[in-house]
Short mmCIF file of all heavy atoms in Angstrom, two decimals:
data_model
loop_
_atom_site.label_atom_id
_atom_site.label_comp_id
_atom_site.label_asym_id
_atom_site.label_seq_id
_atom_site.Cartn_x
_atom_site.Cartn_y
_atom_site.Cartn_z
N ALA A 299 184.63 -81.45 -187.73
CA ALA A 299 185.91 -81.89 -188.28
C ALA A 299 186.94 -82.13 -187.19
O ALA A 299 187.80 -83.00 -187.32
CB ALA A 299 186.44 -80.84 -189.26
N ALA A 300 186.85 -81.36 -186.11
CA ALA A 300 187.83 -81.46 -185.03
C ALA A 300 187.46 -82.53 -184.00
O ALA A 300 188.20 -82.72 -183.03
CB ALA A 300 187.97 -80.11 -184.31
N SER A 301 186.35 -83.22 -184.21
CA SER A 301 185.97 -84.25 -183.23
C SER A 301 185.64 -85.55 -183.95
O SER A 301 186.53 -86.17 -184.54
CB SER A 301 184.79 -83.77 -182.37
OG SER A 301 183.67 -83.41 -183.17
N PHE A 302 184.38 -85.97 -183.96
CA PHE A 302 184.07 -87.33 -184.38
C PHE A 302 184.35 -87.62 -185.85
O PHE A 302 184.59 -88.78 -186.22
CB PHE A 302 182.62 -87.69 -184.03
CG PHE A 302 181.57 -86.77 -184.59
CD1 PHE A 302 181.05 -86.95 -185.85
CD2 PHE A 302 181.06 -85.71 -183.82
CE1 PHE A 302 180.07 -86.12 -186.36
CE2 PHE A 302 180.07 -84.88 -184.31
CZ PHE A 302 179.58 -85.08 -185.59
N ALA A 303 184.36 -86.62 -186.71
CA ALA A 303 184.61 -86.87 -188.13
C ALA A 303 186.00 -87.43 -188.39
O ALA A 303 186.21 -88.15 -189.37
CB ALA A 303 184.41 -85.59 -188.95
N THR A 304 186.95 -87.10 -187.53
CA THR A 304 188.34 -87.53 -187.76
C THR A 304 188.86 -88.44 -186.66
O THR A 304 190.07 -88.64 -186.55
CB THR A 304 189.25 -86.29 -187.86
OG1 THR A 304 189.03 -85.42 -186.74
CG2 THR A 304 188.95 -85.51 -189.14
N LEU A 305 187.96 -89.01 -185.86
CA LEU A 305 188.39 -89.88 -184.75
C LEU A 305 188.07 -91.35 -185.00
O LEU A 305 188.25 -92.17 -184.11
CB LEU A 305 187.73 -89.43 -183.44
CG LEU A 305 188.22 -88.10 -182.86
CD1 LEU A 305 187.43 -87.75 -181.61
CD2 LEU A 305 189.71 -88.17 -182.54
N THR A 306 187.60 -91.68 -186.19
CA THR A 306 187.22 -93.06 -186.47
C THR A 306 188.41 -93.90 -186.91
O THR A 306 189.48 -93.37 -187.21
CB THR A 306 186.13 -93.09 -187.55
OG1 THR A 306 186.62 -92.40 -188.71
CG2 THR A 306 184.85 -92.43 -187.07
N ASP A 307 188.20 -95.21 -186.97
CA ASP A 307 189.27 -96.12 -187.42
C ASP A 307 189.62 -95.88 -188.88
O ASP A 307 190.78 -95.93 -189.26
CB ASP A 307 188.82 -97.58 -187.23
CG ASP A 307 188.56 -97.93 -185.77
OD1 ASP A 307 189.39 -97.55 -184.93
OD2 ASP A 307 187.54 -98.56 -185.48
N VAL A 308 188.60 -95.66 -189.70
CA VAL A 308 188.80 -95.46 -191.13
C VAL A 308 188.08 -94.17 -191.55
O VAL A 308 186.93 -93.96 -191.17
CB VAL A 308 188.26 -96.64 -191.96
CG1 VAL A 308 188.49 -96.41 -193.45
CG2 VAL A 308 188.90 -97.95 -191.51
N ILE A 309 188.77 -93.32 -192.31
CA ILE A 309 188.19 -92.08 -192.80
C ILE A 309 188.12 -92.14 -194.32
O ILE A 309 189.15 -92.18 -194.99
CB ILE A 309 188.99 -90.85 -192.35
CG1 ILE A 309 189.13 -90.81 -190.83
CG2 ILE A 309 188.33 -89.57 -192.85
CD1 ILE A 309 190.02 -89.69 -190.31
N ILE A 310 186.90 -92.17 -194.83
CA ILE A 310 186.66 -92.17 -196.27
C ILE A 310 186.12 -90.80 -196.66
O ILE A 310 185.36 -90.19 -195.91
CB ILE A 310 185.63 -93.26 -196.64
CG1 ILE A 310 186.14 -94.64 -196.22
CG2 ILE A 310 185.32 -93.24 -198.14
CD1 ILE A 310 185.10 -95.75 -196.39
N ALA A 311 186.51 -90.32 -197.82
CA ALA A 311 186.02 -89.03 -198.30
C ALA A 311 185.47 -89.18 -199.71
O ALA A 311 185.98 -89.99 -200.50
CB ALA A 311 187.12 -87.98 -198.27
N GLU A 312 184.43 -88.40 -200.01
CA GLU A 312 183.96 -88.33 -201.38
C GLU A 312 184.89 -87.40 -202.17
O GLU A 312 185.51 -86.49 -201.59
CB GLU A 312 182.53 -87.79 -201.43
CG GLU A 312 181.49 -88.78 -200.98
CD GLU A 312 180.07 -88.31 -201.28
OE1 GLU A 312 179.84 -87.08 -201.32
OE2 GLU A 312 179.21 -89.17 -201.49
N PRO A 313 184.99 -87.60 -203.48
CA PRO A 313 185.85 -86.71 -204.29
C PRO A 313 185.45 -85.24 -204.12
O PRO A 313 184.28 -84.89 -204.15
CB PRO A 313 185.58 -87.19 -205.72
CG PRO A 313 185.18 -88.63 -205.56
CD PRO A 313 184.39 -88.68 -204.28
N GLY A 314 186.47 -84.41 -203.89
CA GLY A 314 186.24 -82.98 -203.78
C GLY A 314 185.70 -82.51 -202.45
O GLY A 314 185.55 -81.29 -202.25
N ALA A 315 185.41 -83.41 -201.52
CA ALA A 315 184.87 -83.01 -200.23
C ALA A 315 185.90 -82.15 -199.48
O ALA A 315 187.09 -82.44 -199.48
CB ALA A 315 184.51 -84.23 -199.40
N ARG A 316 185.41 -81.10 -198.82
CA ARG A 316 186.28 -80.21 -198.05
C ARG A 316 186.17 -80.54 -196.57
O ARG A 316 185.07 -80.71 -196.04
CB ARG A 316 185.90 -78.76 -198.30
CG ARG A 316 186.18 -78.26 -199.71
CD ARG A 316 185.51 -76.94 -199.98
NE ARG A 316 184.05 -77.08 -199.97
CZ ARG A 316 183.20 -76.06 -200.02
NH1 ARG A 316 183.66 -74.82 -200.05
NH2 ARG A 316 181.91 -76.27 -200.02
N LEU A 317 187.33 -80.62 -195.93
CA LEU A 317 187.40 -80.96 -194.51
C LEU A 317 188.43 -80.06 -193.84
O LEU A 317 189.56 -79.94 -194.31
CB LEU A 317 187.81 -82.43 -194.33
CG LEU A 317 188.16 -82.90 -192.91
CD1 LEU A 317 186.90 -82.98 -192.04
CD2 LEU A 317 188.85 -84.26 -192.95
N GLY A 318 188.02 -79.39 -192.76
CA GLY A 318 188.97 -78.55 -192.05
C GLY A 318 188.32 -77.89 -190.84
O GLY A 318 187.11 -78.00 -190.64
N PHE A 319 189.11 -77.22 -190.04
CA PHE A 319 188.56 -76.54 -188.87
C PHE A 319 188.04 -75.16 -189.27
O PHE A 319 186.85 -74.90 -189.22
CB PHE A 319 189.62 -76.44 -187.77
CG PHE A 319 189.05 -75.89 -186.49
CD1 PHE A 319 188.12 -76.61 -185.76
CD2 PHE A 319 189.42 -74.63 -186.02
CE1 PHE A 319 187.58 -76.10 -184.58
CE2 PHE A 319 188.89 -74.12 -184.85
CZ PHE A 319 187.96 -74.86 -184.13
N ALA A 320 188.92 -74.28 -189.71
CA ALA A 320 188.50 -72.97 -190.20
C ALA A 320 188.57 -72.98 -191.73
O ALA A 320 189.32 -73.76 -192.33
CB ALA A 320 189.41 -71.88 -189.64
N GLY A 321 187.79 -72.12 -192.35
CA GLY A 321 187.79 -72.04 -193.81
C GLY A 321 189.07 -71.43 -194.35
O GLY A 321 189.78 -70.70 -193.64
N PRO A 322 189.39 -71.70 -195.62
CA PRO A 322 190.63 -71.18 -196.21
C PRO A 322 190.75 -69.67 -196.15
O PRO A 322 191.83 -69.14 -195.89
CB PRO A 322 190.55 -71.67 -197.66
CG PRO A 322 189.64 -72.85 -197.62
CD PRO A 322 188.65 -72.56 -196.55
N ARG A 323 189.66 -68.96 -196.36
CA ARG A 323 189.72 -67.50 -196.35
C ARG A 323 190.10 -66.98 -194.95
O ARG A 323 190.93 -66.07 -194.81
CB ARG A 323 188.38 -66.90 -196.77
CG ARG A 323 188.41 -65.38 -196.91
CD ARG A 323 187.06 -64.85 -197.33
NE ARG A 323 186.63 -65.44 -198.61
CZ ARG A 323 185.44 -65.23 -199.14
NH1 ARG A 323 184.57 -64.46 -198.54
NH2 ARG A 323 185.14 -65.79 -200.30
N VAL A 324 189.53 -67.59 -193.92
CA VAL A 324 189.86 -67.19 -192.55
C VAL A 324 191.32 -67.46 -192.25
O VAL A 324 192.03 -66.64 -191.64
CB VAL A 324 188.95 -67.92 -191.54
CG1 VAL A 324 189.39 -67.63 -190.10
CG2 VAL A 324 187.50 -67.53 -191.75
N ILE A 325 191.81 -68.62 -192.70
CA ILE A 325 193.21 -68.98 -192.44
C ILE A 325 194.15 -68.01 -193.16
O ILE A 325 195.15 -67.55 -192.58
CB ILE A 325 193.47 -70.43 -192.88
CG1 ILE A 325 192.64 -71.40 -192.04
CG2 ILE A 325 194.96 -70.77 -192.76
CD1 ILE A 325 192.72 -72.84 -192.49
N GLU A 326 193.84 -67.68 -194.40
CA GLU A 326 194.70 -66.76 -195.14
C GLU A 326 194.71 -65.37 -194.51
O GLU A 326 195.77 -64.73 -194.42
CB GLU A 326 194.24 -66.68 -196.59
CG GLU A 326 194.57 -67.91 -197.42
CD GLU A 326 194.25 -67.73 -198.88
OE1 GLU A 326 193.42 -66.85 -199.22
OE2 GLU A 326 194.85 -68.46 -199.70
N GLN A 327 193.54 -64.91 -194.05
CA GLN A 327 193.49 -63.59 -193.43
C GLN A 327 194.24 -63.58 -192.09
O GLN A 327 194.82 -62.55 -191.72
CB GLN A 327 192.03 -63.19 -193.21
CG GLN A 327 191.29 -62.88 -194.50
CD GLN A 327 189.82 -62.60 -194.27
OE1 GLN A 327 189.28 -62.85 -193.19
NE2 GLN A 327 189.14 -62.09 -195.29
N THR A 328 194.25 -64.71 -191.40
CA THR A 328 194.92 -64.78 -190.09
C THR A 328 196.43 -64.91 -190.25
O THR A 328 197.21 -64.23 -189.57
CB THR A 328 194.38 -65.97 -189.28
OG1 THR A 328 192.96 -65.83 -189.12
CG2 THR A 328 195.05 -66.04 -187.91
N THR A 329 196.86 -65.82 -191.15
CA THR A 329 198.30 -66.08 -191.31
C THR A 329 198.96 -65.14 -192.30
O THR A 329 200.19 -65.06 -192.34
CB THR A 329 198.52 -67.52 -191.79
OG1 THR A 329 197.91 -67.70 -193.08
CG2 THR A 329 197.90 -68.52 -190.81
N ARG A 330 198.13 -64.45 -193.12
CA ARG A 330 198.65 -63.56 -194.17
C ARG A 330 199.57 -64.32 -195.13
O ARG A 330 200.58 -63.80 -195.61
CB ARG A 330 199.38 -62.35 -193.56
CG ARG A 330 198.51 -61.50 -192.66
CD ARG A 330 199.24 -60.27 -192.14
NE ARG A 330 198.43 -59.54 -191.20
CZ ARG A 330 197.46 -58.68 -191.52
NH1 ARG A 330 197.20 -58.44 -192.81
NH2 ARG A 330 196.77 -58.05 -190.59
N GLN A 331 199.19 -65.58 -195.40
CA GLN A 331 199.94 -66.41 -196.33
C GLN A 331 198.98 -67.05 -197.32
O GLN A 331 197.83 -67.34 -196.98
CB GLN A 331 200.72 -67.51 -195.59
CG GLN A 331 201.81 -66.98 -194.68
CD GLN A 331 202.55 -68.11 -193.99
OE1 GLN A 331 202.29 -69.28 -194.23
NE2 GLN A 331 203.50 -67.75 -193.13
N ARG A 332 199.47 -67.28 -198.53
CA ARG A 332 198.68 -67.94 -199.56
C ARG A 332 198.69 -69.44 -199.32
O ARG A 332 199.76 -70.03 -199.11
CB ARG A 332 199.26 -67.63 -200.94
CG ARG A 332 198.41 -68.13 -202.10
CD ARG A 332 197.16 -67.32 -202.24
NE ARG A 332 196.38 -67.75 -203.40
CZ ARG A 332 195.17 -67.31 -203.66
NH1 ARG A 332 194.60 -66.41 -202.85
NH2 ARG A 332 194.51 -67.73 -204.72
N LEU A 333 197.51 -70.05 -199.32
CA LEU A 333 197.41 -71.48 -199.07
C LEU A 333 197.69 -72.27 -200.35
O LEU A 333 197.50 -71.77 -201.46
CB LEU A 333 196.02 -71.84 -198.54
CG LEU A 333 195.67 -71.24 -197.17
CD1 LEU A 333 194.22 -71.53 -196.81
CD2 LEU A 333 196.60 -71.79 -196.09
N PRO A 334 198.12 -73.53 -200.21
CA PRO A 334 198.38 -74.37 -201.40
C PRO A 334 197.10 -74.59 -202.20
O PRO A 334 195.99 -74.53 -201.67
CB PRO A 334 198.89 -75.69 -200.80
CG PRO A 334 199.32 -75.35 -199.41
CD PRO A 334 198.46 -74.22 -198.96
N GLU A 335 197.25 -74.85 -203.47
CA GLU A 335 196.12 -75.13 -204.35
C GLU A 335 195.39 -76.39 -203.87
O GLU A 335 196.01 -77.41 -203.57
CB GLU A 335 196.61 -75.33 -205.80
CG GLU A 335 195.51 -75.44 -206.82
CD GLU A 335 194.76 -74.13 -207.02
OE1 GLU A 335 195.37 -73.06 -206.77
OE2 GLU A 335 193.59 -74.18 -207.41
N GLY A 336 194.07 -76.31 -203.81
CA GLY A 336 193.29 -77.47 -203.38
C GLY A 336 193.31 -77.73 -201.89
O GLY A 336 192.90 -78.80 -201.44
N PHE A 337 193.79 -76.77 -201.12
CA PHE A 337 193.88 -76.92 -199.66
C PHE A 337 192.53 -77.33 -199.08
O PHE A 337 191.49 -76.79 -199.44
CB PHE A 337 194.34 -75.60 -199.05
CG PHE A 337 194.51 -75.62 -197.56
CD1 PHE A 337 195.56 -76.29 -196.98
CD2 PHE A 337 193.61 -74.96 -196.74
CE1 PHE A 337 195.73 -76.30 -195.60
CE2 PHE A 337 193.76 -74.96 -195.36
CZ PHE A 337 194.82 -75.64 -194.79
N GLN A 338 192.54 -78.34 -198.20
CA GLN A 338 191.37 -78.86 -197.49
C GLN A 338 190.44 -79.71 -198.36
O GLN A 338 189.40 -80.18 -197.89
CB GLN A 338 190.56 -77.75 -196.81
CG GLN A 338 191.31 -77.08 -195.66
CD GLN A 338 190.47 -76.05 -194.94
OE1 GLN A 338 189.54 -75.48 -195.52
NE2 GLN A 338 190.78 -75.78 -193.68
N THR A 339 190.78 -79.95 -199.61
CA THR A 339 189.98 -80.87 -200.41
C THR A 339 190.39 -82.31 -200.10
O THR A 339 191.49 -82.56 -199.57
CB THR A 339 190.17 -80.62 -201.91
OG1 THR A 339 191.54 -80.87 -202.26
CG2 THR A 339 189.78 -79.21 -202.29
N ALA A 340 189.52 -83.25 -200.42
CA ALA A 340 189.80 -84.66 -200.14
C ALA A 340 191.11 -85.11 -200.77
O ALA A 340 191.89 -85.85 -200.16
CB ALA A 340 188.64 -85.52 -200.63
N GLU A 341 191.36 -84.65 -201.98
CA GLU A 341 192.57 -85.06 -202.70
C GLU A 341 193.83 -84.54 -201.99
O GLU A 341 194.83 -85.28 -201.84
CB GLU A 341 192.52 -84.55 -204.14
CG GLU A 341 191.45 -85.21 -205.00
CD GLU A 341 190.03 -84.76 -204.68
OE1 GLU A 341 189.86 -83.70 -204.02
OE2 GLU A 341 189.08 -85.46 -205.09
N PHE A 342 193.80 -83.29 -201.55
CA PHE A 342 194.93 -82.72 -200.81
C PHE A 342 195.12 -83.46 -199.49
O PHE A 342 196.25 -83.76 -199.09
CB PHE A 342 194.66 -81.23 -200.57
CG PHE A 342 195.75 -80.52 -199.82
CD1 PHE A 342 196.79 -79.91 -200.51
CD2 PHE A 342 195.74 -80.44 -198.43
CE1 PHE A 342 197.80 -79.24 -199.81
CE2 PHE A 342 196.75 -79.78 -197.74
CZ PHE A 342 197.78 -79.18 -198.43
N LEU A 343 194.03 -83.75 -198.80
CA LEU A 343 194.11 -84.42 -197.50
C LEU A 343 194.60 -85.85 -197.63
O LEU A 343 195.33 -86.34 -196.77
CB LEU A 343 192.74 -84.38 -196.82
CG LEU A 343 192.21 -82.99 -196.48
CD1 LEU A 343 190.77 -83.06 -196.02
CD2 LEU A 343 193.08 -82.32 -195.42
N LEU A 344 194.21 -86.53 -198.70
CA LEU A 344 194.71 -87.89 -198.92
C LEU A 344 196.21 -87.88 -199.15
O LEU A 344 196.95 -88.70 -198.60
CB LEU A 344 193.99 -88.52 -200.12
CG LEU A 344 194.45 -89.93 -200.52
CD1 LEU A 344 194.14 -90.93 -199.41
CD2 LEU A 344 193.79 -90.36 -201.83
N GLU A 345 196.66 -86.94 -199.95
CA GLU A 345 198.08 -86.83 -200.24
C GLU A 345 198.90 -86.56 -198.98
O GLU A 345 200.05 -86.98 -198.86
CB GLU A 345 198.32 -85.72 -201.26
CG GLU A 345 199.75 -85.59 -201.73
CD GLU A 345 199.91 -84.49 -202.77
OE1 GLU A 345 198.90 -84.03 -203.32
OE2 GLU A 345 201.07 -84.09 -203.02
N ASN A 346 198.27 -85.87 -198.01
CA ASN A 346 198.98 -85.50 -196.78
C ASN A 346 198.59 -86.37 -195.59
O ASN A 346 198.90 -86.02 -194.45
CB ASN A 346 198.73 -84.02 -196.46
CG ASN A 346 199.45 -83.09 -197.42
OD1 ASN A 346 200.62 -82.77 -197.22
ND2 ASN A 346 198.77 -82.68 -198.49
#
């Protein structure tokens, strides 16, 4: 995710596909914060 998957000219995702560096559970345990609903899903990533 941190290299060739996100370095192309066009990035297409399948519905519901998850993309990220660390998993949501790891991020929540590290930051001690609740992540947004649908975090790292294709729909969330498209919106952002």
Side-chain angles (χ1 to χ4, degrees):
S301 57
F302 56 86
T304 51
L305 290 177
T306 55
D307 298 315
V308 181
I309 304 175
I310 301 173
E312 286 191 331
R316 292 167 294 171
L317 170 72
F319 187 67
R323 186 180 302 174
V324 174
I325 296 174
E326 287 187 338
Q327 290 175 348
T328 303
T329 62
R330 301 183 185 279
Q331 295 181 3
R332 187 71 177 172
L333 295 174
E335 188 69 26
F337 181 72
Q338 293 183 335
T339 63
E341 292 73 17
F342 180 91
L343 296 171
L344 177 65
E345 185 179 346
N346 288 275

